[in-house]
Each structure stands twice: as structure tokens, then as C-alpha cells.
């Protein structure tokens, strides 16, 4: 069997891994699953309860997006790596870990709080490529999925507001870093920090060049659409858009 990536298709941690694999020209098949059903698929693939889980063609299991980035990077020439040699590579990894631990979960929590009430209308995007029985189960068990996701992620109104405030703080920090005119977070070179920021900001930006179609702001409830437009206009939101425009080509790069 060839390499495979087990995902929740719209998940931003999955986009992070997918982007790195695409960028390195890795040949793999994506196996998308609905939230909660993904646990069975992730465990079956040899991972834990989260996705992405990447199974290489040699059968090695990588159950964390950062591990997948490292694996993909090893397939690129040094000049194109997401983790440059030495201190810049360490700094890229440090920023990535900061974003993985903060922006990633916070943006997701806020996005679910805003979209769970209209989850069935999101099916067109959220169910892309998932097995048909999971699609049916999602439709039938809608209210239960809502309760289960809220419980699993500890979602409520005050937590969602606090999460959005933290997201804005990250946006301000990113903008401050870029304020000296540098092209990327660490200078002139695209690194894991930039990829992680652009991928993990997706729940609050809904980037048009994401690895698969996301709903446009117009399809979202008004309060969410309003925040998305506001954050897109933030210098860090504009930066994410530029990074997608310049660096996110699906399977565009040949391996070494
Ligand atoms: N540290 C992990 C985090 C991945 C993660 O949080 N994945 C989410 C999807 S965005 C997930 O699987 N959540 C389901 C759960 O926690 O049960 C990584 O970087 O891969």
C-alpha cells in the first residue's frame, strides 16, 4: 500500500501536514473522515485520537503534524527546507510549537462555537470525500455530534470569546514581527513558522487557497463572517493570504 494521510478534511492541523507533503512532492492518498469517526480511523492507522496521521509507504506511522513536516522536509534539498540548519531551524520549530499550542486550538474552539449551530449547512465543505456511511451518520446524529464536540473541546460562549481574544493577540504579535518589512516570520525565508501560522489561522480566515474548498464568509453566520473579514484585513491576515498565494501550490513541487 502507498503512503496515506488520515484526516478530518477541513482540519487546520491536517492542512498543515497536507501542505508540507504537497510542497515536498510526496505521493500519498488522503483518507478523510468526519469528526469523532476520525478516532477509529486514526487508531486503526496506528495513531492516537487526533489527526493527521500519516502512514509512509514503508509503514512508519507519524501521528503529529510537526513530525509529518519533519519527515516531508527530509525529502527536500537543504535550501528549500522548512527547518533551515542551525539557529533559524530551532527558532522556526519554537514558533511552530507556540502556534500549535495556542493559535491552533483557540481558533478551532471559536470556529466550532460559531458554526456548530449551523453544522448541517456546513456539510458541503466539511464532508468532502468522507465515506458515505459517515456522511449519513453525520446527518442523522447531528445534535449528538454537536454535544460531543462541545464536550470534547470544552466549548461555551465565554471560552469562545476568550479564545478569539488570544487569537487576536497572536495576530498582533505576528504583525509586530513583520513590521520591519521582512517577508516572512524569520526573515527572507519561508519556514515551518510561516506554514504553521497560515494553516492554523484558517478557522478565523477561511483562506480561499486552502488545500480544499472552505466556505466563504458569506456562507457563515453574520457574527462569524464579520470577524473573518476583520481578521483578513489585519496585517497578519493579509500576511497569511500572501503566504497562501506564494507558497501553497497543490503538489506543485517535484521531490529531489
Ligand atoms: N498536536 C497534534 C494536534 C492535532 C489535532 O488537534 N487534531 C485535531 C483536528 S484539528 C483532532 O484530531 N481533534 C480530535 C480530538 O482531539 O479528538 C498535531 O499537530 O497533529
Amino acid at each position: 500500500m502507498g503512503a496515506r494521510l488520515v484526516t478530518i478534511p477541513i482540519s487546520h492541523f491536517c492542512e498543515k501536514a497536507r501542505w508540507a507533503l504537497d510542497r515536498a512532492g510526496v505521493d500519498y492518498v488522503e483518507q478523510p473522515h468526519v469528526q469523532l469517526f476520525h478516532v477509529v480511523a486514526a487508531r486503526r492507522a496506528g495513531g492516537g485520537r487526533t489527526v493527521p496521521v500519516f502512514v509512509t509507504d514503508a509503514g512508519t506511522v507519524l501521528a503529529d503534524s510537526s513530525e509529518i513536516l519533519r519527515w516531508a522536509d527530509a525529502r527536500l534539498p537543504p535550501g528549500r527546507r522548512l527547518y533551515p540548519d542551525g539557529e533559524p531551524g530551532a527558532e522556526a520549530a519554537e514558533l511552530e510549537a507556540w502556534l500549535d499550542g495556542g493559535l491552533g486550538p483557540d481558533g478551532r474552539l471559536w470556529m466550532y462555537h460559531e458554526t456548530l449551530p449551523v453544522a448541517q449547512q456546513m456539510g458541503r465543505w466539511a464532508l468532502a470525500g468522507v465515506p458515505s456511511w459517515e456522511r449519513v451518520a453525520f446527518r442523522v446524529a447531528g445534535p449528538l455530534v454537536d454535544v460531543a464536540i462541545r464536550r470534547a473541546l470544552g466549548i461555551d460562549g465565554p471560552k469562545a470569546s476568550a479564545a478569539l481574544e488570544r487569537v487576536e493577540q497572536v495576530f498582533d504579535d505576528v504583525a509586530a514581527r513583520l513590521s520591519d518589512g521582512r517577508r516572512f516570520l524569520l526573515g527572507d525565508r519561508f519556514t515551518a513558522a510561516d506554514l504553521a501560522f497560515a494553516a492554523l489561522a484558517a478557522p478565523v480566515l477561511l483562506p480561499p487557497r486552502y488545500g480544499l474548498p472552505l466556505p466563504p464568509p458569506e456562507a457563515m453566520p453574520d457574527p462569524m463572517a464579520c470577524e473573518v473579514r476583520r481578521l483578513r484585513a489585519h496585517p497578519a491576515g493579509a500576511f497569511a493570504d500572501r503566504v497562501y498565494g506564494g507558497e501553497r501550490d497543490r503538489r506543485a513541487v517535484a521531490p529531489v
Side-chain angles (χ1 to χ4, degrees), residues 2 9 68 85 92 121 160 190 205 214 216 236 255:
I68 300 169
D85 286 340
Q121 293 161 44
F190 178 69
L205 294 176
L214 290 179

Side-chain angles (χ1 to χ4, degrees), residues 25-63:
V26 176
D27 193 18
Y28 67 95
V29 170
E30 181 167 346
Q31 298 181 327
H33 292 275
V34 175
Q35 283 84 340
L36 306 177
F37 297 97
H38 76 276
V39 178
V40 177
R43 293 234 161 97
R44 257 199 208 141
R49 58 167 292 128
T50 65
V51 286
V53 177
F54 183 60
V55 185
T56 71
D57 44 10
T60 305
V61 177
L62 305 171

